[in-house]
Amino acid sequence: EVQLVESGGGLVQPGRSLRLSCAASGFTFDDYAMHWVRQAPGKGLEWVSGISWNSGSIGYADSVKGRFTISRDNAKNSLYLQMNSLRAEDTALYYCAKSPMVQGVIMDHFDYWGQGTLVTVSS
Amino acid sequence: AIQLTQSPSSLSASVGDRVTITCRASQGISSALAWYQQKPGKAPKLLIYDASSLESGVPSRFSGSGSGTDFTLTISSLQPEDFATYYCQQFNSYPPLTFGGGTKVEIK
């Protein structure tokens, strides 16, 4: 069974940093592109960042480019999101999501999602 | 960035009704479109990919159609467990991958 478990969320002041983690199990992690998607309270879904299976291709939404860094450790079956210079508008539930194609591109849909970790940016 | 416009933003329907949700792309995206269902407090769930392919385990009352700029998600006979918010997502152009604004299906 595919499982994606996010952690690392919490309350943080504007301008500070936070690192999210996503622990994956139930599939061969290093075969698949992975993503972070967020959802502000009461709002819709927003793709944040994606990384290919071998970290050779990485992309970001304009809203986070230069502030957030996605990475993965295939030996630990883990995905990360380093978030710097956090703003109030980054407040959201952050989901880790998997792409469905083996060694596929980042430009894809998402077949499995975690339950999310909540990030609140407030003074 | 490709924008996706869903309509309606919300609808009220009864159990057994046929429901259709539309997603329009700001430019052509071939068939690179997926549909998700999200219930309150839960993660989104994949229903349809490649515009019309049903994800494994998803009931056959869900179907998708369209290509280019106009797409539809149809629920042939609405069931109590189908009351949720539905999102479309394009994966033809990146970055960014983009979602529609969502359609909330409520009980009439």
Side-chain angles (χ1 to χ4, degrees):
Chain A
E1 179 195 4
V2 172
Q3 283 200 310
L4 299 170
V5 180
E6 302 91 339
S7 61
L11 174 63
V12 61
Q13 293 178 327
R16 303 299 288 266
S17 299
L18 209 56
R19 188 194 196 205
L20 306 184
S21 299
C22 171
S25 61
F27 65 103
T28 305
F29 180 74
D30 56 12
D31 267 347
Y32 296 92
M34 298 293 296
H35 303 261
W36 291 99
V37 177
R38 69 184 181 184
Q39 187 169 37
K43 302 298 184 182
L45 301 167
E46 179 189 17
W47 176 81
V48 173
S49 182
I51 184 169
S52 63
W53 59 279
N54 62 354
S55 302
S57 180
I58 286 174
Y60 298 96
D62 284 348
S63 57
V64 306
K65 197 176 299 181
R67 300 187 298 123
F68 290 10
T69 302
I70 192 172
S71 62
R72 63 190 296 161
D73 185 337
N74 287 344
K76 295 183 177 180
N77 290 346
S78 293
L79 176 72
Y80 305 102
L81 186 68
Q82 177 67 43
M83 304 186 296
N84 298 332
S85 303
L86 282 161
R87 305 168 180 167
E89 54 264 36
D90 296 319
T91 294
L93 186 63
Y94 284 74
Y95 292 104
C96 166
K98 169 188 168 291
S99 281
M101 191 173 295
V102 173
Q103 296 185 8
V105 296
I106 300 179
M107 207 163 65
D108 208 341
H109 61 285
F110 318 111
D111 59 349
Y112 288 94
W113 299 63
Q115 287 306 303
T117 187
L118 181 63
V119 173
T120 303
V121 184
S122 174
S123 54
Chain B
I2 292 177
Q3 293 166 8
L4 298 179
T5 303
Q6 284 185 237
S7 60
S9 56
S10 66
L11 65 90
S12 295
S14 301
V15 172
D17 283 353
R18 181 181 182 89
V19 170
T20 299
I21 298 168
T22 297
C23 178
R24 176 163 289 175
S26 59
Q27 62 191 75
I29 58 170
S30 186
S31 296
L33 189 98
W35 290 97
Y36 302 89
Q37 175 193 67
Q38 187 179 34
K39 296 181 179 180
K42 299 294 187 181
K45 173 189 174 183
L46 177 65
L47 300 175
I48 302 284
Y49 62 95
D50 293 344
S52 61
S53 296
L54 191 67
E55 174 70 353
S56 176
V58 173
S60 59
R61 63 181 179 272
F62 291 93
S63 64
S65 65
S67 67
T69 60
D70 294 313
F71 301 86
T72 59
L73 172 70
T74 300
I75 309 172
S76 60
S77 178
L78 197 66
Q79 298 302 299
E81 59 268 30
D82 300 337
F83 292 95
T85 300
Y86 294 84
Y87 294 93
C88 57
Q89 178 239 332
Q90 69 80 23
F91 49 99
N92 181 76
S93 176
Y94 151 94
L97 301 172
T98 50
F99 291 89
T103 296
K104 186 174 184 178
V105 176
E106 299 176 300
I107 301 173
K108 181 182 281 184

